Amino acid sequence: MTLASPGAASQDAASQVAGSERPDTPGAGREPGARATSRGPWVTALRKLLQDRAAVASLAALVLIVLCTLAAPLYATRVSETDPFTSNLSGSVVVDGETVDVIQADTGGLGLGTTPIGPTWTGHYFMGADGQGRDVMARLLYGGQNSLVIAGGATVITLVAAAVVGIVAGFFGGIVDAVLSRLLDVLWAFPVYLLAISLSIVTIGRGLVLGPVTISSSSLLLPIVIIGIIYVPYVARPIRGQVLQLKRSEFVLAATGLGVPRHRILVTDILPNVATTLIVFAPLMMALNMITESALSFLSIGVQSPAASWGTIIEDGQGLLYTRPWVAIAPGIAIVLTVLALNVLGDGVRDALDPKAKLRVRKGR
Amino acid sequence: MRLRTLLTTSALALGFAASAVQAAPDRAELMKQHRGGTLKLNAHGSAGTIDPQINYEAEFWQLLYTTNDGLVTFKKVEGKDSNDVVPDLAEAIPSPQDGGKTYVFKLRPGVKFSTGKDVMPSDVVASLQRVFKVSSPTAGSFFNGIVGADDCLKTPATCTLKDGVIGDDKAGTVTVHLTEPDADFFYKMSAVHASILPADTPAKDLGTTPAAATGPYMIESYNPDRGMKIVRNPYFKQFSADAQPDGYVDGIEYNFGLDDQAGVTAVANGQADWTFDDVPTDRLNELGTKYPKQVHVHTLLAYYYVPMNVNLAPFNNVKARQAVAYAVDRKALVGLFGGPNLASPLCQQLPAGMAGHEDYCPFTQKPGAKWTAPDMAKAKQLIEESGTKGAKITLIGDDKAIPKSIATYMQSLLRELGYDVDLRVVSHNIQFTYIQNTNNKVQISVSDWYQDYPAPSDFLGVLFSCASFHEGSDSSINISGFCDKKIDDDMKKAAATAVTDRAAADKMWAQVDREVTDAAPAAALFQPKRVDFVASRVGNFTYSDQIHFLFSQAWVQ
């Protein structure tokens, strides 16, 4: 699985769809109303996931990253003792017993330019300062909070919206399917980044007004909603396809023949099967969303100043590449690590939920 | 004005004769040694049309000053003298007649366009008509004082200026009538928009088609996506070393595409001779230490400032505006621009070096002539007194590196003062017009202003007079919407005095500067300097205050 193309994610996850209706897949193939045993498919999947060392390591890395970002306020007040959202252009800091300016005027040659303090590897300005004299480490932690919240929030929106649209379109078919599918086609017709940038530019000025609800331009909800919406077709399409297959499966036909109400078939037969696909999609979409958020913030149309995200910090560091490259490199590394962990975890989840993968593992042994 | 003009003209004539005697052999010798080669210039992007009467971008004005001429122009020399106006296609600067409302220009004989056609008074008349016909950006501000300009502004297509500009091909003269005396008339006539073009030049934007040239060079080809090629004008014969000196290089290649970082690297590697874009701040130290001999730093008659809308809360309260002016840490902003060797703190509206500038700084810890430090206590006290604490503010910044970093700092500062501040970063391409239009309800923004010509009216009159404020227009350069009748009257008196007594007028402008600064429609931040980085092979780098790097005076061999 790569993040090169959202379509690739869709196809890869969709390939798992075929297996999801098999009886050995979590939630699939159960008789309506049947209860899972203690060694049911979900437990089996979890055990398989825990046997995947790469996935477990990724999960641990993610947990560590989340915990670090949650500690941002503590770090800012107790360790760096700075306000990472306030410019500190004229401030100074004591390093190795010596007081130095946070922004230092260059004195060599013609004396042109100024340079922010570099990494001190101590509590104050551990990773140095950005062009505004703000502590990079503290902003990195706060920025991580925002990046994760946006990526996570957008993923929830994408998955919920995609599940509703995909299930309704696939299950009810007919005119409902035609209308919803065309709506998805319209969204799909736009290159994803072009759509995200366009929506962001339009809404960043005055915020987003949805009836009585107004989301201000500085609210994190704005990038969450925008990113959440743009990826809906990429998940809804495979979900719809899976539901179309499930509709023709024997257990659904049997339930229909027995007169089970449609809403009950949806809840007990369709949704559990679709859930596995959504679970597989979750980490992969979160990785995609994180990259999209970083891109939008890098372009100044995502998280708004003075708040930070890893994308805004990279942008802050863009003008310091020759003198303080760490300002841009540090959030870059954070994004790479997080996205890599999410992708590896996503692959692990897919393998755990995919019976074909189980067969492969057994053959391999 | 009359006495001064006569003296100026006499001095110019004497000076010109003396310099011609002394400098001619040197220049001829230098020309023999260094003539030839191609000057390679670079810019991130092109700057739109190359129509000299329409383009309003510094990037191309620099070039168009070497290809085209007006009746008068700025002296093409290094230093303060570059602010002087000298005769260009006209033989001399004419004496004012009719109380300063009439000027009769006599054209130099024998000057030809690059098409081979002689420059005639009828071309001058047609060119000044064309300024209105093509709706030149400065038609309404620089040339609106010509008799008949009002009609031309209303109906450009039928513009004749028949009572305002009269040419006499036989006598070789052009007479210009003004509606009232204008002390800045020659400055305005020195702008590129006043370039003289052949009478048959189409009355529409030439776009990428080069106009006929009168200078030492002419544009041969122009592709906005790739570059521009400039070659020698085969019909050029140097008619004035002050106005339009012959060029050393045989051609100029202007390439578009490399960004500011790559542009600097190209110059450092000798792949380009100069780059138009500002040197990125993270490269300044490298240039100052590794290539000190190739770096040229010059003070600009310009300033960065924060206009505050005096018609919208919270800045319709003078105490709120003054609080911002007190709170700004100008030293910190100088650091953002590149340090004390690249900018100076400024808290008045006229930059240092501009006529009428007298050091004045009321918004500092020790009010007096110079800024010393921010006074946050005073600023917070004023905010309390104004009753505006907690007000919601949207600050408009632009997405270029320096203005954006200033806006980020200002947001932080305004939050510290107790405001609830959103920063909206707008594309550099539209920010300047966006913040001018009152329909956008801009409360506060970050902007900068570079002189069009070296007169205090170009700052105080243009930026803060009632006449510069146009509600609902993208062209309302008085961004603050400031209109004080008393100060406006003082500006008019200063402008009228300048026609006859420039020194007295400068004193009056200094007083206006203090009045505007006290009212704080804008908080002045700092006065920047320009860094030019040239390749090691470039010799005779000459910097004019008005035009900046004079391409024609550089040599590459």
Side-chain angles (χ1 to χ4, degrees):
Chain A
M1 169 62 62
T2 68
L3 287 170
S5 132
S10 306
Q11 287 166 9
D12 211 4
S15 70
Q16 188 267 336
V17 166
S20 67
E21 62 180 308
R22 292 166 189 265
D24 56 350
T25 302
R30 283 184 283 138
E31 289 298 318
R35 293 170 64 93
T37 63
S38 59
R39 292 271 324 249
W42 287 108
V43 177
T44 307
L46 184 62
R47 287 184 64 189
K48 275 175 64 182
L49 183 65
L50 293 176
Q51 286 170 359
D52 185 338
R53 288 178 186 173
V56 171
S58 298
L59 186 62
L62 281 172
V63 169
L64 186 65
I65 290 169
V66 170
L67 288 177
C68 285
T69 60
L70 288 175
L74 200 64
Y75 181 86
T77 52
R78 298 291 173 86
V79 182
S80 70
E81 297 175 330
T82 58
D83 177 355
F85 305 112
T86 300
S87 300
N88 188 24
L89 297 169
S90 298
S92 56
V93 61
V94 177
V95 180
D96 295 334
E98 194 180 333
T99 302
V100 294
D101 290 337
V102 174
I103 303 290
Q104 297 156 355
D106 295 319
T107 52
L110 299 176
L112 306 179
T114 54
T115 308
I117 189 171
T120 61
W121 310 120
T122 62
H124 297 153
Y125 293 99
F126 179 77
M127 285 188 181
D130 66 8
Q132 292 285 326
R134 299 172 297 200
D135 188 301
V136 172
M137 185 64 195
R139 281 180 69 77
L140 195 68
L141 296 178
Y142 273 108
Q145 269 188 15
N146 288 338
S147 291
L148 289 166
V149 164
I150 292 171
T155 302
V156 170
I157 289 178
T158 302
L159 296 183
V160 170
V164 171
V165 172
I167 291 172
V168 170
F171 191 73
F172 291 101
I175 184 76
V176 175
D177 184 25
V179 170
L180 290 176
S181 293
R182 294 302 79 73
L183 281 175
L184 293 178
D185 287 344
V186 169
L187 267 180
W188 206 317
F190 291 93
V192 68
Y193 274 92
L194 186 64
L195 183 60
I197 290 169
S198 304
L199 289 172
S200 298
I201 288 174
V202 168
T203 54
I204 206 79
R206 302 191 193 286
L208 180 62
V209 180
L210 298 168
V213 180
T214 301
I215 304 174
S216 86
S217 57
S218 58
S219 169
L220 294 186
L221 270 176
L222 201 57
I224 288 175
V225 170
I226 290 171
I227 297 170
I229 288 172
I230 60 171
Y231 283 117
V232 167
Y234 295 89
V235 182
R237 279 286 189 104
I239 296 287
R240 174 183 166 274
Q242 187 183 3
V243 173
L244 284 174
Q245 275 190 321
L246 287 170
K247 256 177 75 177
R248 291 192 292 271
S249 65
E250 289 177 357
F251 63 92
V252 172
L253 290 173
T256 307
L258 288 170
V260 178
R262 296 175 85 182
H263 70 272
R264 199 170 164 196
I265 295 174
L266 261 180
V267 173
T268 57
D269 294 318
I270 304 292
L271 198 56
N273 280 291
V274 169
T276 55
T277 305
L278 292 173
I279 290 168
V280 171
F281 263 118
L284 304 175
M285 290 313 300
M286 189 163 170
L288 266 180
N289 290 343
M290 178 164 284
I291 290 176
T292 308
E293 181 279 320
S294 299
L296 293 180
S297 294
F298 179 79
L299 296 172
S300 303
I301 49 178
V303 173
Q304 295 299 295
S305 172
S309 84
W310 288 337
T312 64
I313 301 171
I314 290 179
E315 195 215 355
D316 294 340
Q318 194 186 15
L320 299 167
L321 282 176
Y322 277 79
T323 48
R324 294 287 177 244
W326 200 239
V327 179
I329 289 172
I333 290 173
I335 291 171
V336 168
L337 285 179
T338 309
V339 169
L340 186 67
L342 283 166
N343 276 313
V344 173
L345 179 64
D347 283 351
V349 170
R350 185 197 58 196
D351 290 345
L353 293 172
D354 183 358
K356 289 177 183 170
K358 185 178 175 183
L359 289 174
R360 283 199 296 271
V361 171
R362 281 178 181 164
K363 280 178 185 171
R365 285 176 186 169
Chain B
M1 180 65 173
R2 179 172 296 167
L3 178 61
R4 187 178 181 279
T5 305
L6 284 171
L7 287 172
T8 306
T9 310
S10 307
L12 277 170
L14 288 170
F16 181 52
S19 64
V21 170
Q22 289 174 359
D26 292 343
R27 188 171 173 80
E29 186 61 29
L30 289 171
M31 190 59 81
K32 199 185 291 180
Q33 287 175 18
H34 299 291
R35 191 178 175 91
T38 301
L39 187 66
K40 291 184 283 185
L41 312 178
N42 176 75
H44 189 186
S46 58
T49 176
I50 50 171
D51 191 321
Q53 295 192 316
I54 297 178
N55 187 284
Y56 203 14
E57 297 283 340
E59 182 180 334
F60 280 0
W61 270 37
Q62 249 177 311
L63 199 68
L64 293 169
Y65 266 118
T66 69
T67 57
N68 292 83
D69 297 87
L71 292 170
V72 292
T73 191
F74 292 107
K75 196 173 180 181
K76 293 191 174 70
V77 291
E78 176 93 26
K80 282 192 171 181
D81 288 350
S82 59
N83 294 312
D84 293 343
V85 173
V86 294
D88 195 355
L89 294 179
E91 278 186 340
I93 290 183
S95 301
Q97 300 173 14
D98 189 21
K101 293 203 284 187
T102 299
Y103 293 92
V104 180
F105 294 90
K106 174 125 177 68
L107 293 192
R108 294 179 194 273
V111 179
K112 290 179 183 293
F113 289 109
S114 53
T115 56
K117 180 181 170 295
D118 286 331
V119 177
M120 301 295 289
S122 51
D123 297 314
V124 178
V125 175
S127 295
L128 290 175
Q129 290 171 351
R130 189 174 180 276
V131 165
F132 295 93
K133 288 179 177 174
V134 299
S135 297
S136 173
T138 53
S141 52
F142 283 18
F143 305 99
N144 56 338
I146 297 173
V147 172
D150 286 349
D151 290 339
C152 289
L153 288 167
K154 283 178 195 161
T155 52
T158 57
C159 178
T160 61
L161 293 173
K162 66 181 172 62
D163 298 322
V165 183
I166 299 147
D168 183 340
D169 281 355
K170 281 187 182 171
T173 60
V174 177
T175 304
V176 179
H177 295 289
L178 304 179
T179 53
E180 57 185 43
D182 180 359
D184 300 331
F185 174 63
F186 289 124
Y187 289 142
K188 294 169 181 173
M189 291 296 285
S190 299
V192 167
H193 292 159
S195 293
I196 306 306
L197 305 176
D200 58 359
T201 304
K204 61 177 185 180
D205 185 354
L206 296 175
T208 58
T209 306
T214 46
Y217 298 103
M218 61 182 202
I219 298 172
E220 185 180 74
S221 62
Y222 169 51
N223 180 336
D225 295 326
R226 290 186 179 178
M228 187 189 294
K229 191 170 183 189
I230 298 105
V231 297
R232 284 195 185 275
N233 172 3
Y235 291 94
F236 176 78
K237 283 181 187 168
Q238 183 175 296
F239 49 80
S240 165
D242 283 341
Q244 195 58 282
D246 194 7
Y248 286 97
V249 295
D250 284 341
I252 301 171
E253 283 177 10
Y254 214 141
N255 294 309
F256 310 126
L258 294 182
D259 67 10
D260 51 1
Q261 291 280 5
V264 167
T265 304
V267 175
N269 293 341
Q271 295 159 320
D273 292 315
W274 175 83
T275 187
F276 169 79
D277 305 294
D278 290 334
V279 175
T281 50
D282 61 340
R283 303 294 295 275
L284 287 168
N285 186 37
E286 174 196 355
L287 300 192
T289 50
K290 279 190 180 176
Y291 312 98
K293 289 182 180 172
Q294 295 167 239
V295 175
H296 303 269
V297 181
H298 291 91
T299 299
L300 293 165
L301 290 175
Y303 81 139
Y304 279 74
Y305 68 115
V306 175
M308 291 171 274
N309 194 327
V310 301
N311 301 310
L312 285 178
F315 300 117
N316 53 0
N317 187 315
V318 67
K319 287 185 177 177
R321 302 197 300 268
Q322 289 174 335
V324 174
Y326 270 110
V328 170
D329 186 346
R330 293 169 172 86
K331 184 185 166 197
L333 290 169
V334 164
L336 277 183
F337 192 76
N341 290 332
L342 285 182
S344 315
L346 185 75
C347 44
Q348 60 198 105
Q349 310 303 330
L350 274 183
M354 173 62 78
H357 171 93
E358 289 177 8
D359 286 340
Y360 178 62
C361 188
F363 304 122
T364 177
Q365 268 191 6
K366 295 173 186 168
K370 295 281 187 185
W371 182 85
T372 53
D375 191 340
M376 280 302 283
K378 177 77 176 174
K380 286 183 176 173
Q381 178 199 330
L382 284 168
I383 294 286
E384 291 289 347
E385 289 173 12
S386 70
T388 60
K389 192 171 180 180
K392 176 90 178 159
I393 293 175
T394 302
L395 167 69
I396 307 296
D398 107 29
D399 63 355
K400 283 192 100 177
I402 296 290
K404 190 177 176 192
S405 61
I406 294 172
T408 304
Y409 164 78
M410 287 304 301
Q411 182 191 28
S412 175
L413 182 73
L414 290 167
R415 281 160 49 95
E416 215 174 327
L417 287 175
Y419 291 121
D420 178 8
V421 192
D422 276 346
L423 169 60
R424 196 186 307 163
V425 177
V426 179
S427 165
H428 176 73
N429 297 330
I430 60 167
Q431 194 255 7
F432 187 54
T433 49
Y434 182 88
I435 61 178
Q436 292 182 54
N437 196 321
T438 52
N439 293 336
N440 296 323
K441 300 191 186 310
V442 174
Q443 296 163 292
I444 184 169
S445 55
V446 174
S447 193
D448 54 63
W449 184 250
Y450 289 69
Q451 62 154 1
D452 289 308
Y453 48 83
S457 58
D458 190 39
F459 280 76
L460 297 169
V462 170
L463 299 181
F464 301 107
S465 71
C466 298
S468 295
F469 178 52
H470 310 287
E471 285 194 67
S473 167
D474 275 357
S475 183
S476 179
I477 191 62
N478 182 345
I479 298 165
S480 308
F482 181 74
C483 181
D484 182 296
K485 296 293 176 200
K486 196 258 176 195
I487 295 176
D488 222 48
D489 285 344
D490 288 348
M491 288 189 201
K492 286 174 184 164
K493 284 177 194 163
T497 304
V499 177
T500 52
D501 188 345
R502 183 73 74 171
D506 287 348
K507 286 279 175 197
M508 295 168 78
W509 280 116
Q511 176 59 27
V512 172
D513 185 22
R514 286 190 285 271
E515 290 170 354
V516 174
T517 301
D518 288 344
L525 304 178
F526 61 87
Q527 182 174 357
K529 292 182 183 177
R530 163 85 190 166
V531 176
D532 285 290
F533 177 46
V534 296
S536 56
R537 69 171 189 154
V538 174
N540 201 37
F541 177 90
T542 309
Y543 182 89
S544 149
D545 283 353
Q546 295 299 317
I547 306 167
H548 302 173
F549 179 18
L550 296 175
F551 300 140
S552 65
Q553 297 313 289
W555 61 63
V556 295
Q557 62 181 36

